[in-house]
Amino acid sequence: MSQISLYIDEDAIARDLVEAFENANIDVLTTADVNKLSFTDEEQLIFAREQSRVIYSFNVGDFCRLHGSFIEGQKSHSGIILVQQQRYSIGEQLRGILKLINTKSAEEMINQLVFLGSYIRAE
């Protein structure tokens, strides 16, 4: 089983958050890294799948809708992690991601939608 690699979308790009993930040896790629700023959410989700990366976003509404659309249309994605950005500090997000990565493999994330809050609150 392989470890989860993240693709951080435009809504969640914060240099401090990305640096915290990188410093924890989490494999992170951002929309800015691959010049995909302003691409649609669906295009981002498809790119993440092509790269075998789980998308990490604060855009709860759109990605919940896209997840449902993909599942209903029998299209696959590599996984979605959603975070309510104002609710959690960078440290809390980092602890939640580390807990998630230690709990699930990349293969177990396929076609899954996960709210990071459940990994932050579960102590």
Side-chain angles (χ1 to χ4, degrees), residues 8-55:
I8 300 180
D9 88 336
E10 198 169 336
D11 293 329
I13 293 177
R15 192 71 241 157
D16 291 344
L17 177 64
V18 173
E19 286 177 8
F21 287 177
E22 290 172 339
N23 289 337
N25 294 316
I26 298 168
D27 183 0
V28 178
L29 188 67
T30 71
T31 54
D33 294 335
V34 294
N35 297 315
K36 293 206 175 286
L37 296 171
S38 300
F39 280 55
T40 68
D41 293 332
E42 184 171 4
E43 290 169 326
Q44 302 291 8
L45 193 56
I46 290 167
F47 177 78
R49 181 190 64 219
E50 291 169 352
Q51 301 299 309
S52 299
R53 292 180 175 274
V54 175
I55 199 158

Side-chain angles (χ1 to χ4, degrees), residues 82 88 96 99-100 114-123:
L82 295 176
Y88 303 112
K99 187 177 285 186
L100 174 59
V114 171
F115 287 92
L116 190 64
S118 61
Y119 288 86
I120 294 170
R121 291 188 299 270
E123 295 297 327

Side-chain angles (χ1 to χ4, degrees), residues 70-105:
F70 268 55
I71 298 306
E72 186 176 296
Q74 298 184 341
K75 293 190 280 185
S76 181
H77 62 76
S78 294
I80 302 169
I81 299 169
L82 295 176
V83 186
Q84 292 176 310
Q85 78 182 85
Q86 281 79 20
R87 180 174 271 185
Y88 303 112
S89 69
I90 289 171
E92 289 171 319
Q93 290 177 65
L94 176 60
R95 284 189 299 279
I97 276 294
L98 289 171
K99 187 177 285 186
L100 174 59
I101 286 172
N102 287 322
T103 304
K104 289 185 179 256
S105 68

Side-chain angles (χ1 to χ4, degrees), residues 101-114:
I101 286 172
N102 287 322
T103 304
K104 289 185 179 256
S105 68
E107 293 80 9
E108 291 170 322
M109 281 298 298
I110 293 173
N111 293 329
Q112 298 299 305
L113 183 143
V114 171

